[in-house]
Amino acid sequence: MPLPGLIKRRSLVALSGGALASAMFGSPASATPSGDRFSAAMGPSERDLASRYAARTDGGHRLPGIPFQKIDPQYYRQRVENLTGEPAGVVVVDVANRFLYLTEGSGTAMRYGIGIGRAGFTWSGEGVIQWRQKWPRWTPPPEMIARQSELRKYSYANGGQAPGPNNPLGSRALYIFQDGKDTLYRLHGTKDWRSIGNAVSSGCVRLINQDVMDLYERVPAKARIVVWQQGDE
């Protein structure tokens, strides 16, 4: 059952990132009328951010540190109040506002900033994260190869692109199925931190590599996922 008093899905989609943060936390100058324990001052500290986005080695691959100071703070990975209307253990992708939420059992959610590729605008509704992969291989679809012939070397017949920081799927990929069929919708990592919060030319839903690694460890097996496009009811 949805938690009582939560903003309904339609209202959440209608809010901009700034308005959503205000609805969740109130402004720094005033507390929320309900005396909510969440406040703007409870965002991640400089020390937290430095640790979350530090350089690291994983699976034999070296990931550079992220200059988080250059990213809009609303897109930092952070714990927020769960206003999605979904119970614990659900992934919610808010395409319009460039946020991904993983709902938790304590009335909170982990929120991640995302970038949306062309394929990220093509599917909405509900599905299941059928499987997950660390350092996946990338195989461009035939339609992409037809547009960009230089990608033929990464075709399925040629074994795809080897895992690594330069692979378009990044450090982790989560594969979305609906009714037992692959939707071709992916949550995946990226080294291009500048793309977070923006619409980009390719891919589905991308997170900073350090963030998708965090999500990978938190998301339950066969988790339900809900994707909201702008205007979804």
Side-chain angles (χ1 to χ4, degrees), residues 2-233:
L3 296 170
L6 296 181
I7 293 176
K8 298 298 183 183
R9 164 178 167 175
R10 186 185 218 170
S11 301
L12 180 62
V13 173
L15 290 169
S16 67
L20 179 56
S22 178
M24 286 180 172
F25 302 127
S27 67
S30 63
T32 58
S34 63
D36 193 288
R37 69 185 182 279
F38 292 87
S39 69
M42 290 185 68
S45 68
E46 189 89 3
R47 183 176 180 178
D48 289 337
L49 292 168
S51 175
R52 291 176 192 185
Y53 296 118
R56 66 185 65 182
T57 298
D58 178 84
H61 302 286
R62 182 66 176 169
L63 291 173
I66 302 299
F68 60 87
Q69 301 90 340
K70 298 181 180 180
I71 299 174
D72 187 329
Q74 69 176 326
Y75 298 122
Y76 295 156
R77 183 203 323 162
Q78 55 193 291
R79 179 166 280 108
V80 299
E81 188 176 3
N82 178 12
L83 300 179
T84 67
E86 297 293 345
V90 178
V91 175
V92 177
V93 179
D94 180 355
V95 171
N97 291 313
R98 312 292 194 259
F99 292 128
L100 181 149
Y101 300 87
L102 175 60
T103 59
E104 299 174 324
S106 55
T108 60
M110 286 301 296
R111 188 180 78 188
Y112 306 81
I114 58 177
I116 305 295
R118 183 186 296 112
F121 291 100
T122 63
W123 185 79
S124 64
E126 299 189 17
V128 174
I129 297 177
Q130 187 70 20
W131 64 293
R132 304 170 292 174
Q133 190 172 0
K134 296 182 178 181
W135 294 105
R137 300 185 75 86
W138 176 65
T139 305
E143 297 80 7
M144 182 177 288
I145 294 174
R147 294 193 305 267
Q148 299 173 262
S149 59
E150 69 275 12
L151 297 179
R152 189 172 303 280
K153 61 184 177 181
Y154 300 132
S155 68
Y156 178 81
N158 290 324
Q161 183 173 351
N166 293 323
N167 185 301
L169 293 180
S171 59
R172 303 287 189 273
L174 290 76
Y175 299 79
I176 313 308
F177 281 57
Q178 186 179 52
D179 299 326
K181 298 179 181 179
D182 188 355
T183 64
L184 302 181
Y185 203 86
R186 312 282 188 250
L187 313 178
H188 63 86
T190 182
K191 67 176 184 177
D192 184 10
W193 55 267
R194 294 177 181 84
S195 67
I196 301 303
N198 297 308
V200 292
S201 60
S202 61
C204 290
V205 175
R206 57 175 63 185
L207 296 83
I208 293 170
N209 276 317
Q210 284 86 338
D211 280 351
V212 79
M213 292 165 68
D214 182 85
L215 175 65
Y216 181 98
E217 296 301 327
R218 294 178 188 273
V219 70
K222 304 297 176 68
R224 177 169 158 258
I225 181 170
V226 181
V227 177
W228 303 341
Q229 297 286 356
Q230 190 167 9
D232 283 355
E233 295 296 326

